[in-house]
Amino acid sequence: MIATFAGAEETGAQAAQAAAETTTEETTLTTEVVPVFVSEEVVQELPEEAVQESTDVDFPEADSLYELVAEMPATENLSDEMRCLAGAVYFESRGEPLAGQLAVAQVIVNRSESHQFPSSYCGVVYQRSQFSFVRGGAMPRIKTGSTAWKRAKAIARIAHQGLWDSEAHDALYFHAKYVKPSWARKKIARATIDTHIFYR
């Protein structure tokens, strides 16, 4: 709707004439513009952030997990969620082979998609009494210049995007071989990778 405001210097006749012109223009405008407007507003683009999270960049193809990690584009800025996922990989498995690191990431991804756990990576990582590296609800300081952190970020992106099948498959739990938690007896073992056992 187009409103016309008469200035203090306009007479009543001028205001009436302006209103009549507006009505004529409005009628013409309505028949021509509305169909175009409606047809173009049916599809709405996603915000740039959402597109980056879902499609990100074109990922390299690789013949091995080692090769895929090496070819992953470096990212300096991580979202909070991806930092939580990469941080868990870094603290839980940085000394493990890449398959073990991916399996840890896969458990966190699986938990976030399960109704039994929080629905975000950070929620899973910071859930009380789940990860021993979390102290007082905080993650220790990460050596961000290290090769281990670079690998952890690559593994996190690979797991998040589902770019490589993990041996852990649908596992929701894991523990180190040198401990024997009572809950493990009630779970189904999915994989043993280096020093960790993964369960559904």
Side-chain angles (χ1 to χ4, degrees):
M1 181 175 180
I2 300 173
T4 303
F5 294 96
E9 71 282 352
E10 287 186 328
T11 64
Q14 288 172 326
Q17 183 181 358
E21 287 172 6
T22 301
T23 306
T24 308
E25 286 176 16
E26 197 171 2
T27 306
T28 307
L29 201 64
T30 302
T31 55
E32 292 176 7
V33 176
V34 171
V36 175
F37 175 76
V38 171
S39 68
E40 290 180 0
E41 288 297 312
V42 173
V43 178
Q44 182 178 352
E45 288 185 15
L46 289 171
E48 190 177 333
E49 242 178 59
V51 172
Q52 283 182 345
E53 279 298 317
S54 60
T55 60
D56 217 344
V57 295
D58 290 334
F59 290 104
E61 290 185 18
D63 295 325
S64 68
L65 180 57
Y66 179 84
E67 189 180 315
L68 183 58
V69 168
E71 292 179 8
M72 287 299 289
T75 47
E76 294 305 318
N77 297 324
L78 294 176
S79 67
D80 289 343
E81 289 299 306
M82 291 302 291
R83 189 173 179 83
C84 285
L85 182 56
V89 171
Y90 178 82
F91 287 112
E92 281 291 329
S93 61
R94 68 178 178 262
E96 299 286 309
L98 294 178
Q101 293 182 42
L102 181 61
V104 167
Q106 189 64 55
V107 166
I108 294 165
V109 170
N110 291 346
R111 283 188 174 195
S112 72
E113 294 172 353
S114 165
H115 297 297
Q116 302 172 52
F117 298 92
S119 59
S120 68
Y121 298 154
C122 289
V124 167
V125 170
Y126 289 115
Q127 186 177 17
R128 191 170 180 174
S129 303
Q130 294 300 306
F131 291 93
S132 59
F133 68 86
V134 175
R135 302 283 172 89
M139 193 179 289
R141 191 165 173 244
I142 296 167
K143 293 181 181 176
T144 55
S146 66
T147 303
W149 176 238
K150 183 181 175 185
R151 269 196 307 264
K153 290 190 297 181
I155 289 288
R157 292 178 73 202
I158 290 165
H160 173 69
Q161 295 288 341
L163 299 176
W164 196 266
D165 289 335
S166 170
E167 293 174 48
H169 302 293
D170 58 353
L172 292 171
Y173 309 91
F174 68 91
H175 67 78
K177 281 194 212 174
Y178 54 81
V179 297
K180 293 186 178 180
S182 57
W183 56 259
R185 291 193 301 269
K186 301 172 187 174
K187 307 297 178 192
I188 300 165
R190 287 295 195 225
T192 300
I193 305 170
D194 203 38
T195 63
H196 285 102
I197 305 172
F198 297 84
Y199 300 84
R200 175 68 185 180

